[in-house]
Amino acid sequence: MARLIIAVFLACLAGAAPAQDRRPSHCIAIADAAPGIAYLHRASWRAPLPEYSVRLHYIAHASFLLQTAGGLSAVTDYTGFLGTTALVPDVVTMNHAHDTHWTATPDPAIPHVLKGWGNYGEGIEHHLDLGEMLVRNVSTDIRSAFTGAESRGNSIFVFEVAGLCIGHLGHLHHVPNAAQFAALGRLDVVMAPVDGGLTLPLPEMVRVIERLRSSVVLPMHWFSGYSLNRFLEDISKSFAVERPGTSSITLSLRDLPSRPTVVVLEPRFLTD
């Protein structure tokens, strides 16, 4: 009888396991066996993905679609509109510095809606493990029209998937402190706002990116070719710059670029 009970218990555990295992990332502790990433530019957001890879599609402003080989999808700084598509993401993240980074009425069919803020000044903590993808956040402060600053009002969201650490800086208003950098760890990929005014001044944003030591930088939150080109001019002293003319990039854990690289994706809403 005891053996039967143990067998049933083990079977239940096996049934509860996630359909897709997450390849361990090296955000915090860099594993000796993790050789880095290789990337392929031309990839439609609807195309199948190879195993242990992730695709990022620049939708608009600060919104990106992240897709895994196992079929999970996440959208950053979700505004409620993705384009002419029936896609319902598994996860959306939001920040509330401006209404172009969140919505008060997210699609109720979305399983996981992660706000980047909590009660005023208290921040919020997320640690969502979906098996193939882990989503967590690090809180930072934002400017406030009422008190000058809202403590912990912005979240830098980190997606650990396919062995990669992918960070979205949100509406970053200050250089993170040592504890925040430590909590982020080393980001292989970072989506960084480069408007140069509403978020961080460009020299400070460049310092943040250099401190993160990311292999791939995806500029976002730029309002004109002028602001984007100013950022590219500043960052080109220490990063290679590529402009493939596409909206999507596929990444996998293989070989790091010989030099950290800024890849400029063109924003494009999703269409079925």
Side-chain angles (χ1 to χ4, degrees):
M1 184 65 179
R3 290 181 179 178
L4 177 61
I5 293 173
I6 293 172
V8 171
F9 176 72
L10 292 176
C12 290
L13 286 180
Q20 293 286 332
D21 292 328
R22 182 175 64 258
R23 190 171 189 173
S25 70
H26 51 273
C27 279
I28 305 301
I30 298 177
D32 292 338
I37 61 173
Y39 51 92
L40 176 67
H41 294 298
R42 301 192 177 277
S44 166
W45 75 272
R46 290 169 294 182
L49 276 167
E51 188 178 20
Y52 296 127
S53 67
V54 61
R55 180 163 53 235
L56 293 95
H57 178 99
Y58 188 18
I59 299 172
H61 198 54
S63 294
F64 287 80
L65 169 67
L66 288 80
Q67 296 170 290
T68 73
L72 290 176
S73 60
V75 172
T76 65
D77 279 22
Y78 173 72
T79 64
F81 181 71
L82 302 177
T84 55
T85 178
L87 174 70
V88 177
D90 297 288
V91 183
V92 298
T93 65
M94 300 189 297
N95 277 301
H96 75 157
H98 301 287
D99 59 8
T100 51
H101 296 259
W102 72 291
T103 176
T105 56
D107 186 339
I110 298 171
H112 305 283
V113 177
L114 307 184
K115 295 181 178 180
W117 68 97
N119 294 330
Y120 189 88
E122 295 181 7
I124 197 166
E125 293 186 6
H126 296 291
H127 193 277
L128 176 65
D129 192 341
L130 298 178
E132 192 184 13
M133 178 168 60
L134 171 70
V135 186
R136 59 185 177 87
N137 73 305
V138 176
S139 291
T140 63
D141 302 342
I142 58 172
R143 293 183 291 272
S144 169
F146 302 102
T147 62
E150 179 185 350
S151 177
R152 297 169 58 84
N154 176 72
S155 278
I156 298 173
F157 282 96
V158 179
F159 304 83
E160 299 187 30
V161 56
L164 298 169
C165 301
I166 301 171
H168 185 282
L169 298 183
H171 213 277
L172 187 63
H173 286 178
H174 65 89
V175 176
N177 59 34
Q180 290 163 334
F181 273 119
L184 287 172
R186 185 192 182 279
L187 302 179
D188 293 301
V189 185
V190 63
M191 293 161 270
V194 298
D195 57 276
L198 292 176
T199 56
L200 273 179
L202 287 182
E204 293 183 14
M205 181 56 68
V206 170
R207 290 209 311 270
V208 169
I209 292 171
E210 290 175 341
R211 171 75 180 268
L212 289 170
R213 297 186 299 156
S214 298
S215 299
V216 176
V217 178
L218 303 178
M220 65 173 185
H221 206 265
W222 43 273
F223 299 95
S224 68
Y226 175 74
S227 61
L228 175 61
N229 288 333
R230 282 185 55 223
F231 165 74
L232 296 178
E233 183 178 350
D234 289 350
I235 200 73
S236 63
K237 299 177 181 65
S238 50
F239 283 68
V241 175
E242 295 186 5
R243 304 190 73 158
T246 61
S247 301
S248 297
I249 184 172
T250 300
L251 305 136
S252 62
L253 192 65
R254 291 176 187 160
D255 299 319
L256 282 168
S258 59
R259 182 182 179 190
T261 302
V262 175
V263 180
V264 180
L265 298 180
E266 302 297 329
R268 184 172 294 125
F269 286 108
L270 304 178
T271 57
D272 287 335

